[in-house]
Amino acid sequence: MESGPSDCFYCARDERLAKILMEICRLEVSTLYLFREQTYRGRCVVALDAHETELFHLDRDTLQRFSRDVARAAAAVRRAFGPDKINYAIYGDLAPHLHYHVVPKYRGGPSWGEPFALHPPAQQYPPEEGCRETIRAIRAHLPA
């Protein structure tokens, strides 16, 4: 993994990252993480391993591989939990490192029919073992 700025928690992989995310697995050019906050069951982030801030900075090969990583992650979430739709988002204002939010949405669930809440009002933090079960389910459904 290329080194990035020390203030980037995706590059540093330090306690700032561990406070909000749990690593699921390494993918082709990125790492798949589970959000500890699980209002949207199965919510993940796919973070590019190299420090980049914009999609247009990526060469064609890396962009294709990153897109495949996102698709693999979303397919695993879909197979594991059966959401009605998966939402995707790239922000970066506060965490300037390329990462996709992969957010399963469930008909009748929180934020159905509108953008997901980055910080939902009634946050749900399952116990550590609950997060580990979610991680196992996603890993078991990752397509090759």
Side-chain angles (χ1 to χ4, degrees):
M1 181 171 110
E2 290 182 25
S3 176
S6 61
D7 61 342
C8 174
F9 66 79
Y10 284 109
C11 292
R13 293 178 179 240
D14 58 18
E15 68 281 347
R16 297 170 296 168
L17 184 77
K19 184 177 178 182
I20 60 171
L21 302 170
M22 295 175 71
E23 186 173 322
I24 296 172
C25 65
R26 300 296 291 268
L27 298 170
E28 202 172 342
V29 295
S30 61
T31 302
L32 177 59
Y33 296 98
L34 181 76
F35 267 91
R36 290 181 182 274
E37 198 289 313
Q38 286 286 291
T39 294
Y40 310 97
R41 187 170 184 227
R43 179 181 174 194
C44 300
V45 69
V46 181
L48 188 68
D49 288 333
H51 185 80
E52 292 291 353
T53 58
E54 303 292 345
L55 285 173
F56 59 82
H57 290 165
L58 304 181
D59 62 61
R60 176 186 277 184
D61 180 61
T62 304
L63 179 59
Q64 289 174 343
R65 294 166 75 193
F66 187 41
S67 295
R68 278 196 305 267
D69 285 354
V70 172
R72 284 184 64 210
V77 168
R78 173 69 181 220
R79 289 181 182 115
F81 306 112
D84 296 296
K85 178 67 178 94
I86 294 181
N87 287 181
Y88 305 87
I90 297 178
Y91 298 118
D93 308 40
L94 301 176
H97 182 110
L98 264 178
H99 63 286
Y100 268 92
H101 292 260
V102 176
V103 184
K105 299 284 287 297
Y106 303 88
R107 195 174 302 279
S111 306
W112 181 256
E114 57 191 49
F116 73 93
L118 193 57
H119 302 287
Q123 295 186 354
Q124 297 177 27
Y125 287 90
E128 188 87 8
E129 184 51 35
C131 288
R132 292 193 191 289
E133 286 175 20
T134 300
I135 287 171
R136 284 191 292 272
I138 292 169
R139 280 185 187 148
H141 290 89
L142 271 172

